[in-house]
Amino acid sequence: MLDDQRSHGLWERTAPAAPSTLPLRGSTSSDVVIVGGGYTGLSAALHLAERGVAVVLLEAAEIGFGGAGRNVGLINAGMWVMPDDFPKELGDLYGERALDLLGNGPYLVRELIEKHAIACELETNGTLHCAVGDKGLRELEERARQWQKRGAPVTMLDAAETERRIGTNAYSGALLDMRAGTLQPLAYARGLAHVAIRAGAKLHTASAVIETSEADGKKIVKTADGEVHADWIIVSTDAYSTGPWAQIRREQVHLPYFNLATKPLSANLRGSVLPNSEGCWDTKEVLSSFRMDQAGRLVFGSVGALRGTGLDIHKSWARRSLKRLFPQLGDVEFEAEWHGKIGMTDNALPRFHKFGRNVIGFSGYNGRGISPGTNFGKVLARHILGEITEEDLPLPLTGITEPGFRTIKEAYYEAGAQIAHFTGERF
């Protein structure tokens, strides 16, 4: 995308084409202008347009350019935070609301994909959070206990069942979450864009917002070659924010993450590695993730960026790790490589912000963008439609605060990941 083979890798090569869109030219009016063409913005556009609301969406680059087109493709339930810690962080009222919305969030993703026949390689056999050693097993047992007391369809698997499902004896157990699954993330974003356009939304790419103002009670959102006059602005730019809402990016510490995709495995190997296509990640501090696409490619990733010295270090580490995990694969060849950034908030939970009268947005998905983005987009649409008030939202209103030593932390994570993968130790 934008002539960078390491920005979206396999996903750009295998996703259906994006809808035909043009930059914004001239002046137009709308009920709502949405800034950002990721999951949140596209979901909001779809849910508003379906109700007859006039919507213009402005994307600075291309649909799915940010995290929506680069992530692993795990449709996770909940967040990194333990379920019982949601009320501790957000208070009882918002904690339980957010936990309910995000815990059941993957169901809305499935519903939209099935309703609109979005071709995005949806798999609904769950995810496996893999325990590394006794410490990892205890962590997952506690997470399972907290979800199970809320009625969630999660199950702890022992080492033998984990090995049967994954094809490796590297893990002491796993947490199976049947709410979750996998998809082709860029295909999902592009599919939402197609559906939103069919519903009546107007989407413009290569249309970075450079300025906002207000006149005669209307919001005015300007790009280099045009402007939109609207009653509402939805800000859905998240970790890739620039321009008028760059403060959203500054609120988050960027954690680099890369993925490598093997060539399609043989049918024999497919039978021994993730035969049910669950998405997986482990409990290490420098975590790893892996999943299959529908062509049988094993997509393997971890913390780090594929640039500079990190390119060779991370790829060498990935080859060694795959050989340890799945010796039956032999020497693997990668046919695609890409990386992006995860925006982490200081409490690992998303935020609801107001940037002025009728200017609102959610952000801070902490590497869990598919389900939260889709659900928060619908929530914003319902709020603008008057179906729910600000007091009914799943998150409290918060101000923007920049974490201390942000740039130092980001440099540490990128360098630390290289050290960890070079030495084989955690940082």
Side-chain angles (χ1 to χ4, degrees), residues 80-170:
W80 294 105
V81 173
M82 284 280 193
D84 285 358
D85 289 338
F86 271 68
K88 296 176 185 176
E89 290 287 340
L90 301 174
D92 290 340
L93 177 63
Y94 287 108
E96 292 300 332
R97 282 183 190 170
L99 191 61
D100 179 66
L101 179 76
L102 297 174
N104 294 309
Y107 296 134
L108 176 62
V109 177
R110 294 189 194 183
E111 176 188 321
L112 292 176
I113 292 169
E114 292 166 1
K115 175 182 176 181
H116 300 289
I118 297 174
C120 61
E121 303 188 14
L122 175 66
E123 297 284 355
T124 59
N125 287 333
T127 55
L128 294 167
H129 195 172
C130 306
V132 177
D134 292 340
K135 180 181 178 182
L137 187 63
R138 289 193 299 271
E139 174 193 329
L140 294 185
E141 288 172 341
E142 178 59 21
R143 188 177 292 272
R145 184 191 68 79
Q146 293 182 21
W147 276 123
Q148 287 168 349
K149 74 179 182 180
R150 290 174 167 82
V154 302
T155 307
M156 275 303 301
L157 308 181
D158 62 18
E161 177 63 9
T162 300
E163 180 178 359
R164 188 188 72 80
R165 286 176 176 264
I166 299 178
T168 178
N169 61 5

Coordinates of all heavy atoms in Angstrom, one line a residue, residues 80-170:
W80 N -6.7 -6.9 27.2 CA -5.6 -7.5 28.0 C -5.9 -7.6 29.4 O -5.5 -8.4 30.2 CB -4.3 -6.8 27.7 CG -3.8 -6.8 26.3 CD1 -3.8 -5.9 25.4 CD2 -3.2 -8.0 25.7 NE1 -3.2 -6.3 24.2 CE2 -2.8 -7.6 24.4 CE3 -2.8 -9.3 26.2 CZ2 -2.2 -8.5 23.5 CZ3 -2.2 -10.1 25.3 CH2 -1.9 -9.7 24.0
V81 N -6.7 -6.5 29.9 CA -7.0 -6.4 31.3 C -7.9 -7.6 31.7 O -8.8 -8.0 31.0 CB -7.7 -5.1 31.5 CG1 -8.3 -5.0 33.0 CG2 -6.8 -3.9 31.2
M82 N -7.6 -8.1 32.9 CA -8.4 -9.2 33.5 C -9.9 -8.7 33.6 O -10.1 -7.6 34.0 CB -7.9 -9.7 34.8 CG -6.6 -10.5 34.7 SD -7.0 -12.2 34.3 CE -5.4 -13.0 34.6
P83 N -10.9 -9.6 33.4 CA -12.2 -9.2 33.6 C -12.6 -8.5 34.9 O -13.2 -7.5 34.9 CB -13.0 -10.5 33.4 CG -12.2 -11.3 32.5 CD -10.8 -11.0 32.9
D84 N -12.1 -9.0 36.0 CA -12.4 -8.4 37.3 C -11.8 -7.1 37.5 O -12.2 -6.3 38.4 CB -11.9 -9.4 38.4 CG -12.8 -10.6 38.6 OD1 -13.8 -10.7 37.9 OD2 -12.5 -11.4 39.5
D85 N -10.8 -6.7 36.7 CA -10.1 -5.4 36.8 C -10.8 -4.3 36.0 O -10.5 -3.1 36.2 CB -8.7 -5.5 36.3 CG -7.8 -6.3 37.3 OD1 -8.2 -6.4 38.5 OD2 -6.8 -6.9 36.8
F86 N -11.8 -4.6 35.2 CA -12.5 -3.6 34.5 C -13.2 -2.6 35.5 O -13.1 -1.4 35.4 CB -13.6 -4.2 33.5 CG -13.1 -4.5 32.1 CD1 -12.1 -5.5 31.9 CD2 -13.5 -3.8 31.1 CE1 -11.6 -5.7 30.7 CE2 -13.1 -4.1 29.8 CZ -12.1 -5.0 29.6
P87 N -14.0 -3.2 36.4 CA -14.6 -2.2 37.4 C -13.6 -1.5 38.2 O -13.9 -0.3 38.6 CB -15.5 -3.2 38.3 CG -15.7 -4.4 37.4 CD -14.5 -4.5 36.6
K88 N -12.5 -2.1 38.5 CA -11.5 -1.4 39.3 C -10.9 -0.2 38.6 O -10.6 0.8 39.2 CB -10.3 -2.4 39.7 CG -10.8 -3.5 40.6 CD -9.6 -4.5 40.8 CE -10.0 -5.7 41.6 NZ -9.0 -6.7 41.7
E89 N -10.8 -0.3 37.3 CA -10.2 0.7 36.4 C -11.3 1.8 36.1 O -11.0 3.0 36.0 CB -9.6 0.2 35.2 CG -8.3 -0.6 35.4 CD -7.1 0.3 35.7 OE1 -7.2 1.5 35.4 OE2 -6.2 -0.2 36.3
L90 N -12.5 1.3 35.8 CA -13.5 2.2 35.2 C -14.7 2.5 36.2 O -15.5 3.3 35.8 CB -14.1 1.6 33.9 CG -13.1 1.3 32.8 CD1 -13.8 0.5 31.7 CD2 -12.5 2.6 32.3
G91 N -14.7 1.9 37.4 CA -15.8 2.0 38.2 C -16.8 0.9 37.9 O -16.8 0.3 36.8
D92 N -17.7 0.6 38.8 CA -18.6 -0.5 38.7 C -19.5 -0.4 37.5 O -19.7 -1.3 36.7 CB -19.5 -0.7 39.9 CG -18.7 -1.2 41.1 OD1 -17.6 -1.8 40.9 OD2 -19.1 -1.0 42.3
L93 N -20.1 0.8 37.3 CA -21.1 1.0 36.2 C -20.4 0.8 34.8 O -20.8 0.0 34.0 CB -21.7 2.4 36.3 CG -22.7 2.7 35.2 CD1 -23.9 1.8 35.2 CD2 -23.2 4.2 35.4
Y94 N -19.4 1.6 34.6 CA -18.8 1.6 33.3 C -17.9 0.3 33.1 O -17.8 -0.2 32.0 CB -17.9 2.8 33.0 CG -18.7 4.1 32.8 CD1 -18.7 5.1 33.8 CD2 -19.3 4.3 31.6 CE1 -19.5 6.2 33.6 CE2 -20.1 5.4 31.4 CZ -20.1 6.4 32.3 OH -20.8 7.6 32.1
G95 N -17.4 -0.2 34.2 CA -16.6 -1.4 34.1 C -17.4 -2.6 33.6 O -17.0 -3.3 32.7
E96 N -18.6 -2.7 34.1 CA -19.5 -3.9 33.7 C -20.0 -3.6 32.3 O -20.2 -4.6 31.5 CB -20.6 -4.1 34.7 CG -20.2 -4.6 36.1 CD -19.4 -5.9 36.0 OE1 -19.7 -6.7 35.1 OE2 -18.6 -6.2 36.9
R97 N -20.4 -2.4 32.0 CA -20.8 -2.1 30.6 C -19.8 -2.4 29.6 O -20.0 -3.1 28.6 CB -21.2 -0.6 30.5 CG -22.5 -0.2 31.1 CD -22.7 1.3 30.8 NE -23.8 1.9 31.5 CZ -24.1 3.2 31.6 NH1 -23.3 4.0 31.0 NH2 -25.2 3.6 32.2
A98 N -18.5 -1.9 29.8 CA -17.5 -2.2 28.9 C -17.2 -3.6 28.8 O -16.9 -4.2 27.7 CB -16.2 -1.4 29.3
L99 N -17.2 -4.3 29.9 CA -16.9 -5.7 29.9 C -17.9 -6.5 29.1 O -17.6 -7.4 28.3 CB -16.8 -6.2 31.3 CG -16.3 -7.7 31.6 CD1 -14.8 -7.8 31.1 CD2 -16.3 -8.0 33.0
D100 N -19.2 -6.2 29.2 CA -20.2 -6.8 28.5 C -20.1 -6.6 27.0 O -20.2 -7.5 26.2 CB -21.6 -6.4 29.0 CG -22.7 -7.0 28.3 OD1 -22.9 -8.3 28.4 OD2 -23.5 -6.3 27.6
L101 N -19.9 -5.3 26.6 CA -19.8 -4.9 25.2 C -18.6 -5.6 24.6 O -18.7 -6.2 23.5 CB -19.7 -3.4 25.1 CG -19.5 -2.9 23.6 CD1 -20.9 -3.0 22.9 CD2 -19.0 -1.5 23.6
L102 N -17.4 -5.5 25.2 CA -16.2 -6.0 24.6 C -16.1 -7.6 24.7 O -15.6 -8.2 23.8 CB -15.0 -5.4 25.3 CG -14.9 -3.9 25.1 CD1 -13.8 -3.3 25.9 CD2 -14.8 -3.5 23.6
G103 N -16.6 -8.1 25.8 CA -16.7 -9.6 25.9 C -17.5 -10.2 24.8 O -17.1 -11.3 24.3
N104 N -18.6 -9.6 24.5 CA -19.5 -10.2 23.5 C -19.3 -9.5 22.1 O -20.0 -9.8 21.1 CB -21.0 -10.0 23.9 CG -21.3 -10.8 25.1 OD1 -21.0 -12.0 25.2 ND2 -21.9 -10.2 26.1
G105 N -18.3 -8.7 22.0 CA -18.1 -7.9 20.8 C -17.9 -8.7 19.5 O -18.3 -8.3 18.5
P106 N -17.2 -9.9 19.6 CA -17.0 -10.7 18.3 C -18.3 -11.1 17.7 O -18.3 -11.3 16.5 CB -16.2 -11.9 18.8 CG -15.4 -11.4 20.0 CD -16.4 -10.5 20.7
Y107 N -19.4 -11.2 18.4 CA -20.6 -11.6 17.8 C -21.1 -10.5 16.8 O -21.8 -10.9 15.8 CB -21.7 -11.8 18.9 CG -21.4 -13.0 19.8 CD1 -21.5 -12.8 21.2 CD2 -20.9 -14.2 19.4 CE1 -21.2 -13.9 22.1 CE2 -20.6 -15.2 20.2 CZ -20.7 -15.1 21.6 OH -20.4 -16.1 22.4
L108 N -20.9 -9.3 17.1 CA -21.3 -8.2 16.1 C -20.5 -8.3 14.8 O -21.0 -8.2 13.7 CB -21.2 -6.8 16.7 CG -21.5 -5.7 15.8 CD1 -22.9 -5.7 15.3 CD2 -21.2 -4.3 16.4
V109 N -19.2 -8.6 15.0 CA -18.4 -8.8 13.8 C -18.9 -9.9 12.9 O -19.1 -9.8 11.7 CB -16.9 -9.1 14.2 CG1 -16.0 -9.3 13.0 CG2 -16.4 -7.9 15.0
R110 N -19.2 -11.1 13.6 CA -19.8 -12.2 12.8 C -21.1 -11.8 12.2 O -21.3 -12.2 11.0 CB -20.0 -13.4 13.8 CG -18.8 -14.0 14.4 CD -19.2 -15.3 15.1 NE -18.2 -15.8 16.0 CZ -18.3 -16.9 16.7 NH1 -19.4 -17.6 16.6 NH2 -17.3 -17.3 17.5
E111 N -21.9 -11.1 12.9 CA -23.2 -10.8 12.4 C -23.1 -9.9 11.1 O -23.8 -10.1 10.1 CB -24.0 -10.0 13.5 CG -25.4 -9.5 13.0 CD -26.0 -8.5 14.1 OE1 -25.8 -8.8 15.3 OE2 -26.6 -7.5 13.7
L112 N -22.2 -8.9 11.2 CA -22.1 -8.1 10.0 C -21.5 -8.8 8.8 O -22.0 -8.6 7.6 CB -21.2 -6.9 10.3 CG -21.7 -5.9 11.3 CD1 -20.7 -4.8 11.6 CD2 -23.0 -5.2 10.8
I113 N -20.5 -9.7 9.0 CA -19.9 -10.4 8.0 C -21.0 -11.4 7.3 O -21.1 -11.4 6.1 CB -18.7 -11.3 8.5 CG1 -17.6 -10.3 8.9 CG2 -18.3 -12.3 7.5 CD1 -16.5 -11.0 9.7
E114 N -21.8 -12.0 8.1 CA -22.8 -12.9 7.6 C -23.9 -12.2 6.9 O -24.4 -12.6 5.9 CB -23.3 -13.8 8.7 CG -22.2 -14.8 9.2 CD -22.5 -15.5 10.6 OE1 -23.6 -15.2 11.1 OE2 -21.7 -16.2 11.1
K115 N -24.4 -11.1 7.6 CA -25.5 -10.4 7.0 C -25.2 -9.8 5.6 O -26.0 -9.8 4.7 CB -25.9 -9.2 8.0 CG -27.0 -8.3 7.4 CD -27.2 -7.2 8.4 CE -28.2 -6.2 7.9 NZ -28.5 -5.1 8.9
H116 N -24.0 -9.3 5.5 CA -23.6 -8.6 4.3 C -22.7 -9.4 3.3 O -22.2 -8.9 2.3 CB -22.9 -7.3 4.6 CG -23.7 -6.3 5.4 ND1 -24.8 -5.7 4.8 CD2 -23.7 -5.9 6.7 CE1 -25.4 -4.9 5.8 NE2 -24.7 -5.0 6.9
A117 N -22.5 -10.7 3.7 CA -21.7 -11.6 2.9 C -20.3 -11.0 2.6 O -19.9 -11.0 1.4 CB -22.4 -12.0 1.6
I118 N -19.6 -10.5 3.6 CA -18.3 -9.9 3.4 C -17.3 -11.1 3.3 O -17.2 -11.9 4.2 CB -17.9 -9.0 4.6 CG1 -18.9 -7.8 4.7 CG2 -16.5 -8.5 4.5 CD1 -18.7 -7.0 5.9
A119 N -16.6 -11.1 2.2 CA -15.6 -12.1 1.9 C -14.3 -11.8 2.6 O -13.5 -11.0 2.1 CB -15.3 -12.3 0.4
C120 N -14.1 -12.3 3.8 CA -12.9 -12.0 4.6 C -12.3 -13.2 5.4 O -11.7 -13.0 6.4 CB -13.2 -10.8 5.6 SG -14.5 -11.2 6.8
E121 N -12.6 -14.4 4.9 CA -11.9 -15.6 5.5 C -12.3 -15.8 7.0 O -11.5 -16.2 7.8 CB -10.4 -15.6 5.3 CG -10.0 -15.5 3.9 CD -8.5 -15.7 3.7 OE1 -7.8 -16.2 4.6 OE2 -8.0 -15.3 2.6
L122 N -13.6 -15.5 7.3 CA -14.0 -15.6 8.7 C -13.9 -17.1 9.2 O -14.3 -18.0 8.5 CB -15.4 -15.2 8.8 CG -16.1 -15.4 10.2 CD1 -15.4 -14.5 11.3 CD2 -17.6 -15.1 10.2
E123 N -13.2 -17.3 10.4 CA -13.2 -18.6 11.1 C -13.7 -18.4 12.5 O -13.4 -17.4 13.2 CB -11.7 -19.1 11.2 CG -11.0 -19.3 9.8 CD -11.5 -20.6 9.2 OE1 -12.3 -21.4 9.8 OE2 -11.1 -20.9 8.0
T124 N -14.6 -19.3 12.9 CA -15.3 -19.1 14.1 C -15.1 -20.3 15.1 O -15.9 -20.6 15.9 CB -16.8 -19.0 13.9 OG1 -17.3 -20.2 13.2 CG2 -17.1 -17.7 13.1
N125 N -13.9 -20.9 15.0 CA -13.5 -22.0 15.9 C -12.8 -21.6 17.1 O -12.2 -22.4 17.8 CB -12.7 -23.0 15.1 CG -13.5 -23.8 14.1 OD1 -14.7 -24.0 14.3 ND2 -12.8 -24.3 13.1
G126 N -12.8 -20.3 17.4 CA -12.2 -19.8 18.6 C -10.8 -19.4 18.5 O -10.2 -19.5 17.5
T127 N -10.2 -18.9 19.7 CA -8.8 -18.6 19.8 C -8.2 -19.4 20.9 O -9.0 -19.8 21.9 CB -8.6 -17.1 20.0 OG1 -9.3 -16.7 21.1 CG2 -9.0 -16.3 18.8
L128 N -6.9 -19.6 20.9 CA -6.2 -20.3 22.0 C -5.2 -19.4 22.6 O -4.2 -19.0 21.8 CB -5.6 -21.6 21.4 CG -6.5 -22.7 21.0 CD1 -5.8 -23.7 20.2 CD2 -7.2 -23.3 22.2
H129 N -5.3 -19.0 23.8 CA -4.3 -18.2 24.5 C -3.4 -19.3 25.2 O -3.9 -20.0 26.1 CB -5.0 -17.3 25.6 CG -4.1 -16.3 26.1 ND1 -4.5 -15.2 26.9 CD2 -2.7 -16.0 25.9 CE1 -3.5 -14.5 27.2 NE2 -2.4 -14.9 26.6
C130 N -2.2 -19.4 24.8 CA -1.3 -20.5 25.1 C -0.4 -20.2 26.3 O 0.3 -19.2 26.3 CB -0.4 -20.8 23.9 SG -1.4 -21.1 22.4
A131 N -0.4 -21.1 27.2 CA 0.3 -20.9 28.5 C 1.8 -21.4 28.3 O 2.0 -22.5 27.9 CB -0.3 -21.7 29.6
V132 N 2.7 -20.5 28.7 CA 4.1 -20.8 28.7 C 4.5 -21.1 30.1 O 4.5 -20.2 31.0 CB 5.0 -19.7 28.1 CG1 6.4 -20.0 28.2 CG2 4.6 -19.4 26.6
G133 N 4.8 -22.3 30.5 CA 5.2 -22.7 31.8 C 4.1 -22.6 32.9 O 2.9 -22.3 32.6
D134 N 4.5 -22.8 34.1 CA 3.5 -22.8 35.2 C 2.9 -21.4 35.5 O 1.7 -21.3 35.8 CB 4.2 -23.3 36.5 CG 4.5 -24.8 36.5 OD1 3.9 -25.5 35.6 OD2 5.4 -25.2 37.2
K135 N 3.7 -20.4 35.3 CA 3.3 -19.1 35.5 C 2.2 -18.7 34.5 O 1.1 -18.2 34.9 CB 4.4 -18.1 35.5 CG 4.0 -16.6 35.7 CD 5.2 -15.7 35.5 CE 4.7 -14.2 35.7 NZ 5.9 -13.3 35.5
G136 N 2.4 -19.0 33.3 CA 1.4 -18.7 32.2 C 0.2 -19.5 32.4 O -0.9 -19.0 32.2
L137 N 0.3 -20.8 32.9 CA -0.9 -21.6 33.2 C -1.7 -21.0 34.3 O -3.0 -20.9 34.2 CB -0.4 -23.0 33.5 CG -1.6 -24.0 33.6 CD1 -2.3 -24.2 32.3 CD2 -1.0 -25.4 34.1
R138 N -1.1 -20.6 35.3 CA -1.8 -20.0 36.5 C -2.6 -18.7 36.0 O -3.7 -18.4 36.4 CB -0.9 -19.7 37.6 CG -0.4 -20.9 38.3 CD 0.3 -20.5 39.7 NE 1.4 -19.7 39.5 CZ 2.7 -20.1 39.3 NH1 2.9 -21.4 39.2 NH2 3.7 -19.2 39.1
E139 N -1.9 -17.9 35.2 CA -2.5 -16.7 34.7 C -3.8 -17.0 33.9 O -4.8 -16.4 34.1 CB -1.5 -15.9 33.8 CG -2.1 -14.7 33.1 CD -1.2 -14.2 32.0 OE1 0.0 -14.3 32.1 OE2 -1.8 -13.6 31.0
L140 N -3.7 -18.0 33.0 CA -4.8 -18.3 32.2 C -6.0 -19.0 33.0 O -7.1 -18.8 32.7 CB -4.4 -19.2 31.0 CG -3.5 -18.6 30.0 CD1 -3.2 -19.5 28.9 CD2 -4.0 -17.3 29.5
E141 N -5.6 -19.8 34.0 CA -6.6 -20.4 34.8 C -7.4 -19.3 35.5 O -8.6 -19.4 35.7 CB -6.0 -21.4 35.8 CG -5.5 -22.7 35.2 CD -4.6 -23.5 36.1 OE1 -4.2 -23.0 37.1 OE2 -4.5 -24.7 35.8
E142 N -6.8 -18.3 36.0 CA -7.5 -17.2 36.7 C -8.3 -16.4 35.7 O -9.5 -16.0 36.0 CB -6.5 -16.3 37.4 CG -7.1 -15.1 38.1 CD -8.1 -15.4 39.1 OE1 -8.1 -16.6 39.6 OE2 -9.0 -14.6 39.5
R143 N -7.8 -16.2 34.5 CA -8.6 -15.5 33.5 C -9.8 -16.3 33.1 O -10.9 -15.7 33.0 CB -7.7 -15.2 32.2 CG -8.4 -14.3 31.2 CD -7.5 -14.1 30.0 NE -6.3 -13.2 30.4 CZ -6.3 -11.9 30.4 NH1 -7.4 -11.2 30.0 NH2 -5.2 -11.2 30.7
A144 N -9.7 -17.6 33.0 CA -10.8 -18.5 32.7 C -11.8 -18.4 33.8 O -13.0 -18.4 33.5 CB -10.3 -19.9 32.4
R145 N -11.4 -18.5 35.0 CA -12.3 -18.5 36.2 C -13.1 -17.2 36.1 O -14.3 -17.2 36.4 CB -11.5 -18.6 37.5 CG -12.4 -18.6 38.7 CD -11.6 -18.5 40.0 NE -11.0 -17.1 40.1 CZ -11.8 -16.1 40.5 NH1 -13.1 -16.2 40.9 NH2 -11.2 -14.9 40.7
Q146 N -12.5 -16.0 35.9 CA -13.2 -14.8 35.9 C -14.2 -14.7 34.8 O -15.3 -14.1 34.9 CB -12.2 -13.6 35.8 CG -11.3 -13.5 37.1 CD -10.4 -12.3 37.0 OE1 -10.6 -11.4 36.3 NE2 -9.3 -12.4 37.8
W147 N -13.9 -15.2 33.6 CA -14.8 -15.2 32.5 C -16.0 -16.2 32.7 O -17.1 -15.9 32.4 CB -14.1 -15.5 31.2 CG -13.5 -14.3 30.5 CD1 -12.2 -14.2 30.1 CD2 -14.1 -13.1 30.0 NE1 -11.9 -13.0 29.5 CE2 -13.1 -12.3 29.4 CE3 -15.4 -12.6 30.1 CZ2 -13.4 -11.1 28.9 CZ3 -15.7 -11.4 29.6 CH2 -14.7 -10.6 29.0
Q148 N -15.6 -17.4 33.2 CA -16.6 -18.4 33.4 C -17.7 -18.0 34.4 O -18.9 -18.3 34.3 CB -16.0 -19.7 33.9 CG -15.2 -20.4 32.7 CD -14.3 -21.5 33.2 OE1 -14.1 -21.7 34.4 NE2 -13.8 -22.3 32.3
K149 N -17.3 -17.2 35.5 CA -18.3 -16.8 36.4 C -19.3 -15.8 35.8 O -20.4 -15.5 36.4 CB -17.7 -16.3 37.7 CG -17.0 -14.9 37.6 CD -16.4 -14.4 38.9 CE -15.9 -13.0 38.8 NZ -15.3 -12.6 40.1
R150 N -18.9 -15.2 34.7 CA -19.8 -14.3 33.9 C -20.6 -15.1 32.8 O -21.2 -14.4 32.0 CB -19.0 -13.2 33.4 CG -18.5 -12.2 34.4 CD -17.6 -11.1 33.9 NE -17.4 -10.1 34.8 CZ -16.5 -10.1 35.8 NH1 -15.7 -11.2 36.0 NH2 -16.4 -9.1 36.7
G151 N -20.4 -16.4 32.7 CA -21.1 -17.2 31.7 C -20.5 -17.2 30.4 O -21.1 -17.7 29.4
A152 N -19.2 -16.8 30.2 CA -18.6 -16.7 28.9 C -18.2 -18.2 28.5 O -17.8 -19.0 29.3 CB -17.3 -15.9 29.0
P153 N -18.3 -18.5 27.2 CA -17.9 -19.8 26.7 C -16.4 -20.0 26.5 O -15.9 -20.1 25.4 CB -18.6 -19.9 25.3 CG -18.6 -18.4 24.9 CD -18.8 -17.6 26.1
V154 N -15.7 -20.0 27.7 CA -14.3 -20.3 27.7 C -14.0 -21.5 28.4 O -14.7 -21.9 29.4 CB -13.5 -19.1 28.3 CG1 -13.8 -17.8 27.5 CG2 -13.8 -18.9 29.7
T155 N -12.9 -22.2 28.0 CA -12.5 -23.5 28.6 C -11.0 -23.6 28.7 O -10.3 -23.2 27.8 CB -13.0 -24.7 27.7 OG1 -14.4 -24.5 27.4 CG2 -12.8 -26.0 28.3
M156 N -10.6 -24.1 29.8 CA -9.1 -24.4 30.0 C -8.8 -25.8 29.4 O -9.5 -26.7 29.7 CB -8.7 -24.3 31.4 CG -8.4 -23.0 32.0 SD -7.1 -22.1 31.1 CE -5.7 -23.2 31.2
L157 N -7.8 -25.8 28.6 CA -7.4 -27.1 28.0 C -6.1 -27.5 28.6 O -5.2 -26.7 28.9 CB -7.2 -26.9 26.5 CG -8.3 -26.3 25.7 CD1 -7.9 -26.3 24.2 CD2 -9.6 -27.1 25.8
D158 N -5.9 -28.8 28.8 CA -4.6 -29.3 29.4 C -3.6 -29.4 28.3 O -3.8 -29.1 27.1 CB -4.8 -30.6 30.1 CG -5.3 -31.8 29.2 OD1 -5.1 -31.6 27.9 OD2 -5.8 -32.8 29.7
A159 N -2.4 -29.7 28.7 CA -1.2 -29.7 27.7 C -1.5 -30.7 26.6 O -1.2 -30.4 25.4 CB 0.1 -30.1 28.5
A160 N -2.1 -31.8 26.9 CA -2.3 -32.8 25.8 C -3.3 -32.3 24.8 O -3.1 -32.5 23.6 CB -2.8 -34.1 26.4
E161 N -4.4 -31.8 25.2 CA -5.4 -31.2 24.3 C -4.9 -30.0 23.6 O -5.2 -29.9 22.4 CB -6.7 -30.9 25.1 CG -7.8 -30.3 24.2 CD -8.3 -31.2 23.1 OE1 -8.0 -32.4 23.2 OE2 -9.1 -30.7 22.3
T162 N -4.1 -29.2 24.2 CA -3.5 -28.1 23.6 C -2.6 -28.6 22.4 O -2.6 -28.0 21.3 CB -2.7 -27.2 24.6 OG1 -3.5 -26.8 25.6 CG2 -2.0 -26.1 23.9
E163 N -1.8 -29.6 22.7 CA -0.9 -30.1 21.7 C -1.7 -30.7 20.5 O -1.3 -30.5 19.3 CB 0.0 -31.2 22.3 CG 1.0 -31.8 21.2 CD 1.9 -32.9 21.8 OE1 1.8 -33.1 23.1 OE2 2.7 -33.5 21.1
R164 N -2.8 -31.4 20.8 CA -3.6 -32.0 19.7 C -4.2 -30.9 18.8 O -4.2 -31.1 17.6 CB -4.8 -32.8 20.4 CG -5.6 -33.6 19.3 CD -6.8 -34.2 20.0 NE -7.8 -33.2 20.3 CZ -8.6 -32.7 19.3 NH1 -8.5 -33.1 18.1 NH2 -9.5 -31.8 19.7
R165 N -4.6 -29.8 19.4 CA -5.2 -28.7 18.6 C -4.2 -27.9 17.9 O -4.5 -27.4 16.8 CB -6.0 -27.8 19.5 CG -7.3 -28.4 20.0 CD -8.1 -27.5 21.0 NE -9.3 -28.0 21.4 CZ -10.5 -27.7 20.8 NH1 -10.5 -26.8 19.8 NH2 -11.6 -28.2 21.3
I166 N -3.0 -27.7 18.4 CA -2.0 -26.8 17.8 C -1.0 -27.5 17.0 O -0.6 -27.1 15.9 CB -1.3 -25.9 18.9 CG1 -2.4 -25.1 19.6 CG2 -0.3 -25.0 18.2 CD1 -1.8 -24.2 20.7
G167 N -0.5 -28.7 17.5 CA 0.5 -29.4 16.8 C 1.9 -29.2 17.4 O 2.9 -29.5 16.7
T168 N 2.0 -28.8 18.6 CA 3.2 -28.6 19.3 C 3.1 -28.9 20.8 O 2.0 -28.7 21.3 CB 3.8 -27.1 19.1 OG1 5.0 -27.0 19.8 CG2 2.8 -26.1 19.7
N169 N 4.1 -29.4 21.4 CA 4.1 -29.7 22.8 C 4.8 -28.5 23.6 O 5.2 -28.7 24.8 CB 4.8 -31.0 23.1 CG 6.3 -31.0 22.7 OD1 6.8 -29.9 22.3 ND2 6.9 -32.1 22.8
A170 N 4.8 -27.3 23.1 CA 5.5 -26.2 23.7 C 4.8 -25.6 24.9 O 5.3 -24.8 25.6 CB 5.9 -25.2 22.7

